[in-house]
Amino acid sequence: MTPSFPSLSRRGFLSLTGLGAMSALSSCASPYTSRVEYRPVVVQPVAMPVNGGVYAGGGDPELDRIYGETYDGGFLIPAVPYQRIDPRFYRQRVANPTGEPPGTVVVDTQSRFLYLVESGGTAMRYGVGIGKEGFAWSGEGVIQWRQKWPRWKPPNEMVARKPELAQYSIENGGMEPGLMNPLGARAMYIFQNGQDTLYRLHGSPEWNSIGKAVSSGCVRLINQDVIDLYDRVPTKARIVVWQ
């Protein structure tokens, strides 16, 4: 039965209708063989709260800390040039706009935001990039499984279309974890009714894809942000995806 969420009706809240719909997702990521075209966004400095601090769009110590170079899991993640990102997509604490209870993850695909609802009426908001697979599923599920520095295993259907990916096939154990792995520093795997939806929240080195609809992938976050989200999200957290 499709869940009913009156507060989401204005967004055309839908749910999957079986494995046929899930097959459209196929892989949720592609290797970074080409870069996302980037056109700089000219924005005025805006003071925005982050973890209790306030900054104004560039050269701020708090932003340098949040998006600076970081060592994690044996990998050195490069600093993000956050001055070239629209400030509204910076990680920040906001008043909870979702109407959902604490511990819920909400993905607003149209606005390119992901919210982790907190107690006390606030939410941590992250900017995200949405791939075509990110628009292929909406509804409610559970973050059933989480992985640090995951392997990427393209399904056999993708390998059949792109034989050059055979080296990363399921049979061959997938792509090694690393900075150029399509799933980035963390991946969170979404299940619905006990079945894998093939819908993922994952990291990405392509900071310039945040806030955009890109060619492939589900929901991607800056690696520094996906690490922060991973550390905050509750076990088996409920997730709601708006289209």
Side-chain angles (χ1 to χ4, degrees):
M1 178 179 297
T2 302
S4 175
F5 297 95
S7 63
L8 306 185
S9 60
R10 65 187 178 88
R11 299 180 181 272
F13 190 76
L14 304 173
S15 66
L16 271 178
T17 56
L19 292 175
M22 289 195 294
S23 66
L25 293 173
S26 76
S27 71
C28 207
S30 295
Y32 298 124
T33 54
S34 61
R35 305 298 295 177
V36 175
E37 182 180 358
Y38 173 68
R39 294 181 176 85
V41 178
V42 179
V43 295
Q44 294 298 318
V46 178
M48 307 185 78
V50 175
N51 295 338
V54 176
Y55 51 85
D60 183 272
E62 180 70 1
L63 277 177
D64 290 340
R65 180 188 67 80
I66 290 173
Y67 292 119
E69 183 179 86
T70 183
Y71 187 78
D72 180 88
F75 300 99
L76 186 63
I77 301 173
V80 174
Y82 60 85
Q83 298 92 336
R84 298 173 64 187
I85 301 174
D86 188 329
R88 66 196 174 107
F89 296 119
Y90 296 159
R91 182 200 318 167
Q92 56 194 278
R93 179 168 284 113
V94 298
N96 175 23
T98 71
E100 297 293 342
T104 305
V105 175
V106 178
V107 179
D108 183 345
T109 60
Q110 296 299 321
S111 296
R112 314 288 196 262
F113 291 137
L114 181 151
Y115 299 92
L116 175 59
V117 181
E118 301 174 317
S119 58
T122 62
M124 286 300 298
R125 190 179 79 185
Y126 306 82
V128 299
I130 305 293
K132 59 186 177 181
E133 290 88 351
F135 289 108
W137 185 77
S138 60
E140 179 181 349
V142 174
I143 298 178
Q144 186 71 23
W145 187 47
R146 304 182 298 166
Q147 184 67 42
K148 296 182 178 181
W149 293 103
R151 285 179 172 266
W152 177 62
K153 299 178 181 180
N156 292 332
E157 293 83 357
M158 174 176 276
V159 173
R161 294 194 306 270
K162 299 180 178 180
E164 67 273 17
L165 298 181
Q167 61 182 315
Y168 306 127
S169 68
I170 296 171
E171 291 77 8
N172 288 330
M175 180 186 285
E176 291 278 347
L179 295 176
M180 297 309 294
N181 184 298
L183 295 180
R186 302 287 189 274
M188 284 159 265
Y189 302 78
I190 313 307
F191 281 58
Q192 185 184 60
N193 299 325
Q195 295 181 323
D196 187 356
T197 65
L198 305 181
Y199 195 90
R200 311 285 189 247
L201 312 176
H202 63 87
S204 172
E206 296 188 312
W207 56 265
N208 52 357
S209 68
I210 300 305
K212 299 177 175 64
V214 292
S215 60
S216 62
C218 287
V219 177
R220 59 175 65 179
L221 296 86
I222 294 171
N223 273 325
Q224 284 87 337
D225 280 349
V226 82
I227 291 171
D228 183 83
L229 175 64
Y230 183 99
D231 290 341
R232 294 178 187 271
V233 72
T235 302
K236 303 294 177 66
R238 174 172 169 261
I239 181 169
V240 179
V241 178
W242 297 342
Q243 296 288 2

